């Protein structure tokens, strides 16, 4: 049973990495390119303060997008941690006298939580993509 949970963890990690790679390729990298092109145009400005403002403005979309991605990933990880903590609480409150039975109940609960959260990745991706301009 523990091997199944580890396999589900690896699958979730792989799905998360794949989702992030897709967001990077389809949204973040093109946005980064636009930012670099905008920063290059800033070099044409003679006024130092206008140059600095131009650079800051050009970097802002990528910074916002990075913050959005980080916030979504942190929220996802926090939700998964809370689900696993609930599994721990359920086992603790279950009063199992048999350690093996308690471990099996915990593993089953964690497995369900991992499956449920794997299903949420498409929603996370949609929120990220919607938030990136």
């Amino acid at each position: 049973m523990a091997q199944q949970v580890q396999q589900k963890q690896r699958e979730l990690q792989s799905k998360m990495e794949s989702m992030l790679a897709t967001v990077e390729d389809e949204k973040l990298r093109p946005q980064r390119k636009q930012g670099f092109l905008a920063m290059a145009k800033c070099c044409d400005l003679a006024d130092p303060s206008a140059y600095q403002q131009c650079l800051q403005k050009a970097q802002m979309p990528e910074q916002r997008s990075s913050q959005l991605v980080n916030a979504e990933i942190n929220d996802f990880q926090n939700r998964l941690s809370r689900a696993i903590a609930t599994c721990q609480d359920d086992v603790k409150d279950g009063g199992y006298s048999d350690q093996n039975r308690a471990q099996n109940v915990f593993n089953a609960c964690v497995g369900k939580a991992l499956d449920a959260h794997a299903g949420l990745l498409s929603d996370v991706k949609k929120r990220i993509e919607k938030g990136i301009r």
Side-chain angles (χ1 to χ4, degrees):
M1 182 65 105
Q3 289 178 338
Q4 289 175 330
V5 170
Q6 290 174 347
Q7 179 61 32
K8 287 178 188 261
Q9 284 177 316
R10 286 190 294 271
E11 289 172 8
L12 179 59
Q13 182 68 32
S14 177
K15 287 179 182 180
M16 172 82 81
E17 289 170 0
S18 176
M19 183 265 300
L20 289 173
T22 300
V23 168
E24 172 73 24
D25 291 344
E26 295 175 0
K27 297 291 184 178
L28 296 176
R29 195 167 293 132
Q31 186 181 59
R32 193 172 299 125
K33 180 180 177 179
Q34 289 176 338
F36 285 137
L37 293 172
M39 284 189 280
K41 290 179 183 178
C42 295
C43 293
D44 295 335
L45 299 173
D47 180 23
S49 66
Y51 169 76
Q52 285 299 323
Q53 288 176 344
C54 182
L55 287 178
Q56 289 173 350
K57 184 178 178 183
Q59 293 172 343
M60 220 177 289
E62 184 182 358
Q63 289 172 349
R64 270 187 257 146
S65 295
S66 179
Q67 290 171 348
L68 170 73
V69 169
N70 288 336
E72 283 292 338
I73 298 307
N74 286 337
D75 181 59
F76 180 83
Q77 290 172 333
N78 287 337
R79 291 174 68 180
L80 179 57
S81 294
R82 288 194 309 267
I84 293 171
T86 298
C87 292
Q88 291 170 332
D89 292 344
D90 290 348
V91 169
K92 186 176 180 180
D93 294 341
Y96 298 100
S97 57
D98 180 9
Q99 185 64 28
N100 288 333
R101 174 77 177 128
Q103 188 65 47
N104 288 339
V105 169
F106 175 74
N107 288 341
C109 181
V110 170
K112 288 178 187 176
L114 291 168
D115 288 341
H117 282 77
L120 295 174
L121 284 175
S122 63
D123 293 335
V124 172
K125 182 181 179 208
K126 287 176 189 172
R127 284 193 303 271
I128 289 171
E129 289 176 337
K130 183 180 178 185
I132 295 175
R133 294 180 192 89

